[in-house]
Amino acid sequence: MAESDLTWLSLLVFLPAICAAGLLVLPSRWPELLRWWATFGAAGTLALSLCVVVGYYNLLDQHLDANGMPRHSVRTRLDSRADKAASDAAQPIPKKLDPNDWIARRAWIAPFNVQFALGADGLSLPLVVLTALVTLLAIVASWKIEDGVRGYLALLLLLETGVIGAFLALDFFLFYVSYELMLLPMYVLIGLWGGNNRKYAALKFVVYTLLGGVCLLVAMIALYSVNARDFVDQAEVNQRAADVQKKQPNLKPEEAAEQVEVHTFDFVTLSKVGRAVSLVLSGQEERLAVKTATVEVPGPSDEAKQVRLFAPGVDRDAALARLKTQPVCTKRFQYLVFVLLFLGFAVKVPIVPLHSWLPDAHFEAPTPVSMILAGVLLKLGGYGLVRVAFPVCPWAASELAWWIGLIGVIGIVYGALVAMGQTDFKKLLAYSSVSHMGFVVLGLASWGSAANAQYWQWGVSGAMFQMVAHGITASALFFIVGVVYDRAHHRDLNRFGGLKEPMPFYAGLSAILFFASMGLPGLCGFVGEFCVFLAAWNFSPGLAVPAVLSVVLTAAYLLWTWQRVYLGTNPATKDFPELTPREAVCLVPFVLLAIALGIAPSLLLFNWMEPSVAGWIENLAPLKP
């Protein structure tokens, strides 16, 4: 019988694709049926994501503090759960896999050790729920699409499968396949349903994304060349040694074992290799130690300076010697792979100067596609930095942290300045996204040593919260543009004005979302930026000052935009109808979330995101001398 968590996670990934396949069977002459089918499919995916959240929260709930609040525990960390699951499966007589650990592994392409590996934690699940919510509301917003309804909705659902697969993947190959799967649906959605210059925008999107994908592919191949035999369960090494001895009976057992190499795409294993290399390259190899158990629970007698990374049963000296002879244990390799990973994800963030595809894509894309692009796809870049780039190459990330922070600050200031000069509503929001995502990069880059780990934890927590908050506000603001475009048939800010009179409910909801995007206290945009500011100031006041001052620029262009669109009088807009019920259904959930996460950020940040961030910090902060 399959693990229940394997079933839940697999359904969460593939339900949208199954519904997309169902659309291809339904008759195209019944567009209303197609729309309802897609809507119920997206709603089912959202319901599944919330069920997984409940299951994961129950896992955290097993470890409570004195106040009954979930807290960080070694046993609940994703890397610990993944190690235990891999160890149970590697035993000569495999142990029964835990159906409630929210880690699922199955062999996929055995000759290359590629696994169908999925895992849920507080870093991935908020983005999965965000993806499901934004996709559902984008489909509701698409009910006015008349041409090619079946293909359009099928592509939206296929896009959702790719995004959720990337957020849950624990295997680099699976992550890469899901990451690239999103390319075709987005290209077709922009190229067929976009504006007048849609072909150029779609081609530009593909070229930039493919360049980023090539960087990730090269980095993935380089990481696969690493021999990770000393970081995996030794039952797997022994089994491979036995296979070698069967083929070469003349070999002694120790000689057969010496020939074994383990190459993997597993994020958790590659992260352990990266952390070990970081200690060696920073002159701290004496701190490297061997685990005494697959999942160790630190006790009061443990040496605080020891970092236990080698698998139980490994000879430390032999393992260290093997590690130091590999190319991965060189500064050149670490710099090269990290830069490749960073560039690959920078395209999606997007980071200046790799951002120029975004304004064109938004300008030409239909409103629902812009909602998904801004609310979901940009988060893949930030998530890739958190899940892959920093953990796998921590030494290079630490060495380049200040420069990464500088890139984030440049994006923040540049995006705000260019947004201020825009007259097209959509392009203004596109450059605003460039600015807001710069806070994600700055928060991750605010690397602190173990002594100052609390500040870096605030920065990473702020970056994760900022991704969710921006996903909510950006999706809603692009929908707001779509609402007024349906009535005015243009997006020129200088031709708007006076919308508050004929559309007061619309204007009020828009004001809340504008203020949330601006970072007003009490709304969702403030929490993440505030945490990033605290971390950046401790890391480098020189980077923090321009980031803080950019708040003034953000307030300036957003308030000026709101005034130009909603205040005053304008004969051209005085007869515009108020929000329809369908439009209100799309907009009100975003407004409620913007308020709820601003007033009670613990709903997301401290209850079930913070434990995973704490585990992430505990892995990386001690590596810095």
Side-chain angles (χ1 to χ4, degrees):
M1 183 177 177
E3 305 164 73
S4 59
D5 52 8
L6 173 63
T7 303
W8 281 102
L9 295 175
S10 299
L11 272 176
L12 181 55
V13 172
F14 293 114
L15 179 60
I18 294 171
C19 293
L23 285 170
L24 302 180
V25 177
L26 295 174
S28 60
R29 65 179 179 274
W30 296 340
E32 288 297 312
L33 175 62
L34 297 176
R35 295 186 181 105
W36 280 110
W37 175 269
T39 301
F40 280 119
T45 304
L46 177 59
L48 276 174
S49 70
L50 295 176
C51 290
V52 174
V53 167
V54 172
Y56 174 70
Y57 194 82
N58 286 337
L59 176 69
L60 291 182
D61 201 45
Q62 299 171 13
H63 306 273
L64 304 178
D65 62 17
N67 298 318
M69 297 295 290
R71 66 179 182 181
H72 166 62
S73 167
V74 171
R75 293 188 182 92
T76 64
R77 283 168 28 180
L78 183 136
D79 56 337
S80 298
R81 289 182 281 130
D83 278 343
K84 185 178 183 304
S87 177
D88 290 346
Q91 302 307 310
I93 301 178
K95 296 180 181 179
K96 183 178 179 181
L97 299 176
D98 187 351
N100 299 312
D101 61 359
W102 297 105
I103 298 289
R105 293 178 181 274
R106 289 294 184 273
W108 182 17
I109 307 175
F112 296 100
N113 200 22
V114 177
Q115 295 182 326
F116 178 76
L118 303 174
D121 70 344
L123 301 178
S124 59
L125 279 182
L127 299 176
V128 169
V129 176
L130 176 68
T131 300
L133 175 64
V134 171
T135 303
L136 172 60
L137 296 179
I139 288 176
V140 174
S142 302
W143 274 52
K144 297 185 72 173
I145 297 289
E146 298 292 342
D147 298 328
V149 175
R150 180 166 58 183
Y152 175 88
L153 295 174
L155 289 169
L156 284 182
L157 292 170
L158 186 61
L159 182 64
E160 184 178 17
T161 281
V163 175
I164 294 177
F167 283 142
L168 293 178
L170 296 182
D171 183 277
F172 205 158
F173 189 89
L174 177 62
F175 176 88
Y176 181 77
V177 170
S178 300
Y179 195 83
E180 291 297 296
L181 177 63
M182 296 170 285
L183 179 63
L184 179 61
M186 185 58 70
Y187 170 73
V188 178
L189 286 167
I190 297 174
L192 292 185
W193 285 274
N196 294 331
N197 207 21
R198 57 185 179 272
K199 293 181 180 179
Y200 169 76
L203 179 61
K204 193 172 184 179
F205 166 78
V206 168
V207 169
Y208 272 82
T209 304
L210 281 178
L211 286 174
V214 168
C215 290
L216 294 181
L217 179 61
V218 175
M220 182 174 68
I221 294 172
L223 291 169
Y224 184 72
S225 69
V226 175
N227 180 12
R229 56 166 289 168
D230 298 310
F231 299 89
V232 301
D233 193 280
Q234 293 305 287
E236 179 180 349
V237 175
N238 296 335
Q239 179 60 46
R240 295 194 181 198
D243 294 339
V244 170
Q245 201 165 17
K246 288 180 182 178
K247 296 177 181 178
Q248 304 179 51
N250 296 331
L251 288 179
K252 297 179 180 179
E254 58 272 15
E255 293 174 336
E258 195 61 32
Q259 292 187 16
V260 172
E261 292 190 3
V262 176
H263 301 280
T264 183
F265 293 105
D266 179 62
F267 285 149
V268 174
T269 302
L270 293 174
S271 173
K272 286 188 284 188
V273 175
R275 287 152 59 197
V277 168
S278 179
L279 291 173
V280 173
L281 293 181
S282 59
Q284 304 178 78
E285 64 183 65
E286 71 280 355
R287 296 176 59 196
L288 264 174
V290 178
K291 289 184 176 182
T292 57
T294 302
V295 179
E296 288 187 317
V297 180
S301 61
D302 286 344
E303 299 255 347
K305 292 185 177 181
Q306 283 191 332
V307 181
R308 303 179 187 272
L309 295 172
F310 293 127
V314 167
D315 183 297
R316 178 192 179 279
D317 294 333
L320 184 59
R322 276 191 290 267
L323 179 65
K324 293 170 71 173
T325 58
Q326 296 190 63
V328 69
C329 200
T330 62
K331 295 181 178 180
R332 179 180 298 178
F333 184 98
Q334 291 292 308
Y335 276 132
L336 175 63
V337 172
F338 179 78
V339 169
L340 288 171
L341 291 171
F342 185 79
L343 290 175
F345 295 123
V347 173
K348 273 288 198 296
V349 170
I351 291 174
V352 178
L354 302 174
H355 69 288
S356 64
W357 64 270
L358 183 64
D360 291 321
H362 274 308
F363 187 79
E364 301 298 336
T367 295
V369 176
S370 284
M371 290 170 63
I372 294 176
L373 179 59
V376 175
L377 292 193
L378 301 189
K379 311 306 173 286
L380 282 163
Y383 179 77
L385 295 176
V386 174
R387 181 66 79 203
V388 187
F390 275 71
V392 170
C393 299
W395 181 83
S398 175
E399 292 293 308
L400 299 173
W402 191 88
W403 296 101
I404 297 170
L406 178 62
I407 291 172
V409 171
I410 291 173
I412 293 170
V413 177
Y414 173 85
L417 288 173
V418 178
M420 190 175 293
Q422 299 301 310
T423 57
D424 183 274
F425 208 158
K426 260 195 171 184
K427 282 196 172 182
L428 181 143
L429 295 179
Y431 283 107
S432 175
S433 292
V434 173
S435 179
H436 282 95
M437 290 301 290
F439 286 103
V440 175
V441 179
L442 178 59
L444 297 178
S446 302
W447 191 301
S449 62
N452 295 317
Q454 181 62 57
Y455 293 103
W456 191 26
Q457 184 170 330
W458 291 345
V460 177
S461 297
M464 293 301 303
F465 197 97
Q466 175 74 358
M467 284 198 281
V468 176
H470 178 262
I472 292 169
T473 57
S475 298
L477 289 174
F478 276 106
F479 180 75
I480 281 172
V481 176
V483 169
V484 73
Y485 181 78
D486 288 341
R487 290 155 173 78
H489 306 293
H490 69 82
R491 295 189 295 262
D492 188 350
L493 292 171
N494 295 323
R495 295 168 58 189
F496 287 127
L499 288 181
K500 183 175 69 67
E501 294 301 325
M503 306 175 69
F505 184 53
Y506 168 73
L509 296 181
S510 300
I512 295 173
L513 292 165
F514 269 82
F515 288 136
S517 182
M518 188 170 50
L520 190 72
L523 297 171
C524 64
F526 173 75
V527 180
E529 290 182 7
F530 180 73
C531 292
V532 170
F533 290 151
L534 290 177
W537 184 267
N538 178 75
F539 175 67
S540 173
L543 295 178
V545 169
V548 173
L549 293 178
S550 71
V551 172
V552 179
L553 297 176
T554 303
Y557 71 75
L558 286 176
L559 288 175
W560 189 32
T561 299
W562 195 83
Q563 288 177 352
R564 283 186 288 175
V565 174
Y566 298 98
L567 300 185
T569 59
N570 186 352
T573 63
K574 66 177 182 178
D575 296 324
F576 283 1
E578 182 59 279
L579 286 178
T580 65
R582 179 184 60 83
E583 291 170 338
V585 165
C586 290
L587 204 52
V588 169
F590 287 126
V591 173
L592 295 178
L593 283 172
I595 296 172
L597 293 182
I599 295 176
S602 59
L603 290 173
L604 172 66
L605 183 59
F606 301 111
N607 280 12
W608 50 288
M609 182 186 287
E610 192 69 10
S612 294
V613 174
W616 194 88
I617 293 294
E618 285 182 13
N619 283 341
L620 298 183
L623 304 179
K624 193 165 185 176

